[in-house]
Amino acid sequence: GHIIIHDPNNPNTCELCGKAYRQSSSLRTHMLSHTGERPFQCDICGKSMTQKSGYKKHMLVHTGEKPHTCDVCGREFRYSSNLIAHKRCHSGERPYECPHCKRGFPTTEQMKRHSLVHSGERPFQCEICNKRFKRRSSLMSHRHTHDSEPELIVDHKVCKSNVVELY
């Protein structure tokens, strides 16, 4: 199994980047990442995917189907990965550890969001006043503080500010 992937003579190795696979079908799918080809396209929204499995998973967005159910509380999920992460709230499992303080989190997303506390990074910026936030939700809440300000035109964009002439 695992040794075959690292075999220098593995016939299922990408000549462009060196990534190796057990199966030739996996290599063929991988090659699409280099060509940009996305042969599976949604007839509803036009989104395209490299794999049929990705297409089938995407279609759940349109059908509203949630085929994965938590056996503890009955909550339903569209994707199995979301169910797996959800089950951690019942088990208390927190496998993703902050590299700075070693605090555990149930998902990588939560751990990455937490790590901003240590880095001081504020990646979410208000396009109106340029104030920056660590969390998207904080930016969204902040935007409401501009709701009562008059709308102004700046560089052909609608901007809420008190710098330019009212329209």
Side-chain angles (χ1 to χ4, degrees):
H2 183 77
I3 302 298
I4 293 170
I5 293 173
H6 298 290
D7 182 344
N9 299 318
N10 180 350
N12 300 315
T13 301
C14 176
E15 293 178 6
L16 297 172
C17 70
K19 200 163 187 180
Y21 298 89
R22 278 194 194 91
Q23 300 173 326
S24 59
S25 60
S26 299
L27 175 60
R28 279 193 302 275
T29 299
H30 165 77
M31 292 308 292
L32 296 175
S33 70
H34 294 297
T35 65
E37 184 184 352
R38 300 171 82 76
F40 301 96
Q41 186 168 24
C42 175
D43 294 333
I44 298 169
C45 70
K47 182 173 181 172
S48 54
M49 279 77 34
T50 57
Q51 298 179 48
K52 190 174 187 175
S53 61
Y55 169 79
K56 287 180 177 179
K57 197 171 169 182
H58 166 76
M59 291 309 292
L60 296 174
V61 170
H62 298 300
T63 65
E65 185 183 353
K66 294 182 175 182
H68 306 282
T69 305
C70 176
D71 54 6
V72 178
C73 68
R75 186 169 171 191
E76 297 175 333
F77 297 88
R78 189 169 288 133
Y79 308 116
S80 60
S81 57
N82 291 352
L83 172 60
I84 291 165
H86 163 76
K87 283 186 161 186
R88 292 186 184 124
C89 77
H90 298 300
S91 69
E93 182 187 6
R94 293 171 166 262
Y96 303 98
E97 197 174 84
C98 172
H100 304 285
C101 68
K102 306 303 180 203
R103 181 175 167 191
F105 295 88
T107 66
T108 53
E109 293 79 18
Q110 289 174 335
M111 186 272 295
K112 286 175 185 174
R113 188 170 56 225
H114 160 80
S115 70
L116 294 175
V117 168
H118 302 292
S119 71
E121 184 184 354
R122 294 174 175 263
F124 304 101
Q125 184 172 12
C126 176
E127 67 281 357
I128 298 166
C129 70
N130 295 327
K131 187 171 181 178
R132 301 185 76 87
F133 300 88
K134 291 180 182 176
R135 298 198 170 131
R136 184 183 310 277
S137 60
S138 300
L139 169 59
M140 301 312 257
S141 296
H142 163 79
R143 281 187 179 154
H144 296 298
T145 66
H146 295 293
D147 287 347
S148 63
E149 296 177 10
E151 291 188 358
L152 305 155
I153 298 177
V154 178
D155 298 332
H156 305 288
K157 295 180 197 168
V158 172
C159 176
K160 293 180 177 182
S161 170
N162 50 13
V163 181
V164 239
E165 149 184 353
L166 290 168
Y167 74 101

